[in-house]
Amino acid sequence: MHREISHVDPVLGRTSQAGLYFLTLLVGGLLFLDLLWDPLAVWLGPILGIEIPVFESGVTLFGSRWRFALVAAILGSARAMYGALESLSAGRIGADLALAIAAVAAILINQPLVAAEVVFIGLIGECLEAFTFDRTRRAITRLVELTPQLCWLVRDGEPVKASVAELKVGDRILVRPGKRIPVDGVVVEGSSAIDESVLTGESLPVEKTVGSEVFAGTLNQHGALIIEVKRIAEHTVMGRVIEITARALKDKAPLERTADRMARWFLPVVLTLATITFLANLWWFRAEDGGWYKAVFPTLAVLVVACPCALILATPAAIVAALGRLAGSGVLIKGGSALERLAEVNLFAFDKTGTLTTGRLQLGKILSLTADVGPEELLRLAAAAEQRSEHVIGQTIVQAAQGRGLELPSVDSFESRPGAGVVAVVSGQRVLVGNRRLLEQHGLAVSAELETALGQLDSDGETALIVARGEQVVGVLGARDTIRPEAADVLDQLRRMGIRDIALLTGDRRAAAEAVARELQITEVHPELLPTDKAAWLENQRRQGRRPAMVGDGINDAPALATAYVGLALGGIDVTAE
C-alpha cells in the first residue's frame, strides 16, 4: 500500500530522533569527561612525559578556559529552554520549564557540573520516550507491509503487473494462491478459502465465492480469484486500522500529563520560595559588601535543589518499563492512557477466538454411526479423503490420524467443494467429508441418529464434519479450538487481584461460548454478538458506573476496544510484540 506509508507518517508526527540521541551522547560524554579529567591528568601526565593541567580542565574558547561540564550544560539547557519557551508561547507550563530554570540557575551560581547533570537526566528521559515511540512506529510500518505494493491488473482479459497505487475503483485484479490481497473488493470469478486472521483473529479460513467480499492484507490460500476493486490505500479496512492505530499513538498518557499538571502548581510554589529566600537574604546581608550576590546565591540554590529530576525521568522510565513488560507477554498498548486507567478497572470482558483460545483446531469427538465402522476406521477413512485438502480442518484430521499411527490408503480421485467439503475416491469407494450442504448435493438424507450426533457436538462447541461412504453416512468427527494453556492462570490472577466480574463476549454460537466458559469458570457469557453489540454492552456497563477493560484480538473487536474504559488488543502478528 504505497500511499499509506506517506499517509501514516504525518499522523504519527515522526521527526528524526538522531539529533536527540547525538545531543544526549555529547552531553553525557562531556559530563563524564569533566568528572574523569583530574584522575586522567594525574595518570596520563607521567606516562606521556607532559604536565596536564588539572582543574581548569576544559577547552579554550574566546580566550577563556571553559569546563567541559559548562559546555555540556549550555548545550543541554539551550534545548530545554527552547522547549519551555515553546510551551509558554502556547500557554502551557510544564516540567521542562522547571528543568530549564534549574539548569540556568546552576550555571549562574557557577555550578556547571550540577547544571550538566540536570539536563543530562532530562535528555535521558526524552530518549526513553523517543525510543519507545520509534519502535511502535516501526511496528506500524510492518503492518503496512502486510499489503502488497504490486498486483496483477486484468486488462483485456490478460493479467499485467501493475502498482497498487495506480489502481482505481472498478478495476479487476488477479490474486493467485498463496498471495495476499492488496485491496478491498468483491470476487467476480473463482472460489477459494481466505485466511482473514490478520483482521479478525478467527482460526478458520473463510470460504469465498462469486459475490463474496474480500479485504486487503488477507491471504488467499487456494484457488485463483478475479477481484473487482472497491476500496484502495487508506480507504481499505487495513488502511483504517493503520490510521486509527497511528492516531491513538498521539494520545499523550495521563501519567505524562500528571507530570505537567504537577509542574503547574509546583513551579509557582518553588518560585515563591525562591523569592522569599532572595528577599530574606537581601535583608540579612543588606549592610555587607556584596550583599546582592550573597542574596542571589542561596536563591539560585533553592531553584537547583527544587528541580524535579526524579519526576522528569521517572515518568518516561515507568512507561517504558510497563510497555516492555507487557510487550514480553505479547501485549501492545495503543495509547498511553491505558496505563493509568488499568489501575481503576473493575470488570474484564474477553473475546473468545484467538484471545482465550489459541485459534488452532484439534480433533474432538469421533462418533461412529454404524457397527462396521469403528472410531479408528472412521478417522482413517476421513483422513484418507482429506489428504489432498488444503483446508485447515482437513489438515487437522490428517495430522490426528498420522499422530495415531494410522496408515492412510491412496486416493484415486479428489475434488474440493468450497463451502461444503471434499469428495474423494478411496480404495474404489466414494467418500464424502463435509457439512449438510455436501449431503444435500449428493441426495443423502439426514437421519435422526445423525441429527442427535450433530446436536451433541454442537452442545460441546465443536465443528462437525459428516463422513459418508458410498450412499451411507458412517459417522461424524468433531473439531474444536483449544484453550490457551495460560488462560486459566491469567483469570485466576485477575480474581486474586480483586477483579471479580469477568465476562465472555463473542460472536460465536452459544454452545461453543458456553463450553469455553465452563472450562474457565466464567459465569457471565454473551454469545452471538455483532461487533456493535459488544460495544453497546460495554457502553451500558460504563453508564452503570463500572470501568470495564476489553480484551480482543481483531478488527471485529475494534468498536468494543474503543468503547471500553481500557482496550487491550491481542494479535497473532509481529506488530503486537513490538
Side-chain angles (χ1 to χ4, degrees):
M1 296 173 72
H2 191 64
R3 287 182 237 175
E4 277 149 5
I5 298 177
S6 61
H7 178 70
V8 170
D9 286 352
V11 174
L12 291 176
R14 188 222 179 191
T15 57
S16 174
Q17 310 299 342
L20 173 62
Y21 297 147
F22 175 76
L23 180 61
T24 304
L25 288 174
L26 180 61
V27 170
L30 291 171
L31 176 59
F32 284 105
L33 187 60
D34 191 280
L35 292 170
L36 298 175
W37 182 268
D38 282 358
L40 283 175
V42 173
W43 179 64
L44 284 176
I47 295 177
L48 300 176
I50 59 175
E51 183 178 351
I52 301 177
V54 294
F55 227 91
E56 287 152 358
S57 56
V59 293
T60 300
L61 292 174
F62 309 114
S64 303
R65 183 169 291 277
W66 293 42
R67 285 183 56 172
F68 291 114
L70 181 59
V71 177
I74 291 174
L75 290 174
S77 60
R79 176 184 174 85
M81 184 61 70
Y82 176 81
L85 292 175
E86 188 177 41
S87 297
L88 285 174
S89 66
R92 299 190 306 270
I93 297 177
D96 50 355
L97 181 59
L99 185 145
I101 291 174
V104 172
I107 293 173
L108 291 177
I109 62 176
N110 198 28
Q111 295 294 325
L113 189 61
V114 174
E117 289 173 346
V118 167
V119 297
F120 185 55
I121 289 173
L123 287 171
I124 289 177
E126 285 192 61
C127 285
L128 290 173
E129 290 175 322
F131 177 74
T132 303
F133 180 83
D134 197 52
R135 281 192 59 171
T136 309
R137 183 200 62 79
R138 291 199 304 270
I140 291 177
T141 301
R142 294 174 67 182
L143 186 57
V144 173
E145 292 170 354
L146 284 174
T147 307
Q149 296 185 17
L150 297 175
C151 67
W152 291 99
L153 176 62
V154 179
R155 288 178 179 167
D156 300 324
E158 295 296 328
V160 179
K161 186 168 286 189
S163 170
V164 175
E166 300 172 358
L167 294 178
K168 301 184 298 295
V169 174
D171 285 344
R172 294 190 174 190
I173 61 171
L174 168 66
V175 180
R176 294 193 169 104
K179 300 297 182 181
R180 290 196 179 272
I181 299 172
V183 296
D184 287 2
V186 174
V187 177
V188 293
E189 290 184 31
S191 62
S192 182
I194 304 295
D195 180 359
E196 296 183 343
S197 59
V198 68
L199 290 179
T200 65
E202 293 298 324
S203 54
L204 289 175
V206 181
E207 300 292 340
K208 301 289 185 179
T209 57
V210 174
S212 300
E213 189 174 11
V214 294
F215 303 101
T218 57
L219 181 65
N220 181 21
Q221 290 195 332
H222 59 80
L225 298 175
I226 301 294
I227 298 170
E228 182 176 323
V229 177
K230 295 297 182 182
R231 293 181 295 273
I232 57 176
E234 64 270 15
H235 302 294
T236 63
V237 173
M238 180 66 77
R240 292 199 297 272
V241 169
I242 294 167
E243 181 179 357
I244 291 170
T245 305
R247 290 190 184 279
L249 290 171
K250 296 184 69 177
D251 177 29
K252 194 177 184 184
L255 286 175
E256 295 172 293
R257 291 198 295 269
T258 298
D260 291 339
R261 286 198 302 268
M262 291 182 67
R264 293 192 189 105
W265 63 260
F266 180 80
L267 275 176
V269 170
V270 171
L271 292 175
T272 300
L273 289 175
T275 301
I276 294 172
T277 303
F278 174 74
L279 294 175
N281 281 278
L282 186 64
W283 176 83
W284 183 263
F285 295 113
R286 65 188 183 282
E288 299 184 17
D289 293 337
W292 177 270
Y293 176 77
K294 291 180 180 179
V296 169
F297 196 97
T299 302
L300 296 177
V302 169
L303 294 175
V304 173
V305 172
C307 175
C309 295
L311 178 64
I312 294 169
L313 180 59
T315 295
I319 290 174
V320 169
L323 288 177
R325 178 79 171 90
L326 290 169
S329 302
V331 181
L332 167 69
I333 292 188
K334 296 197 281 188
S337 60
L339 287 174
E340 191 172 72
R341 293 185 172 194
L342 272 174
E344 303 173 3
V345 165
N346 54 20
L347 162 66
F348 262 81
F350 288 87
D351 175 47
K352 184 181 75 69
T353 307
T355 302
L356 292 176
T357 65
T358 63
R360 294 189 298 269
L361 294 179
Q362 68 177 15
L363 181 66
K365 289 184 173 62
I366 304 176
L367 304 179
S368 178
L369 301 181
T370 60
D372 60 328
V373 179
E376 292 288 311
E377 176 62 19
L378 179 62
L379 176 60
R380 190 184 71 86
L381 195 63
E386 294 279 9
Q387 285 181 86
R388 298 182 188 177
S389 173
E390 297 177 350
H391 199 283
V392 63
I393 295 182
Q395 294 173 355
T396 299
I397 292 173
V398 173
Q399 291 169 3
Q402 292 173 340
R404 300 188 184 194
L406 301 180
E407 293 186 8
L408 304 182
S410 60
V411 178
D412 299 324
S413 67
F414 173 85
E415 182 184 355
S416 175
R417 299 285 181 86
V422 300
V423 180
V425 176
V426 179
S427 301
Q429 289 185 306
R430 187 187 69 177
V431 178
L432 308 180
V433 182
N435 54 26
R436 292 172 182 263
R437 185 187 307 172
L438 189 65
L439 295 187
E440 293 171 359
Q441 291 175 358
H442 290 80
L444 299 182
V446 177
S447 65
E449 189 179 11
L450 176 58
E451 285 284 9
T452 302
L454 292 175
Q456 180 181 345
L457 292 180
D458 185 67
S459 64
D460 292 335
E462 298 186 14
T463 299
L465 282 184
I466 305 169
V467 182
R469 183 178 62 183
E471 301 299 321
Q472 182 185 25
V473 176
V474 295
V476 185
L477 302 177
R480 58 186 174 86
D481 198 355
T482 55
I483 293 177
R484 288 180 180 270
E486 68 274 15
D489 289 339
V490 169
L491 297 184
D492 287 342
Q493 289 179 33
L494 286 176
R495 294 183 181 107
R496 287 197 296 269
M497 292 169 63
I499 305 296
R500 300 301 176 192
D501 297 327
I502 298 176
L504 177 62
L505 310 181
T506 178
D508 210 343
R509 62 191 191 281
R510 177 173 293 277
E514 290 180 345
V516 171
R518 282 195 302 271
E519 190 163 345
L520 296 176
Q521 300 179 2
I522 299 174
T523 56
E524 189 170 356
V525 183
H526 301 275
E528 301 175 3
L529 297 181
L530 296 174
T532 51
D533 296 331
K534 294 182 183 180
W537 186 88
L538 290 164
E539 180 62 32
N540 184 52
Q541 299 304 308
R542 295 193 65 176
R543 282 198 297 267
Q544 296 177 21
R546 303 170 87 180
R547 295 182 292 275
M550 174 67 194
V551 187
D553 71 308
I555 192 172
N556 59 312
D557 296 315
L561 292 169
T563 304
Y565 193 67
V566 178
L568 298 173
L570 307 182
I573 53 178
D574 291 343
V575 66
T576 304
E578 293 292 347

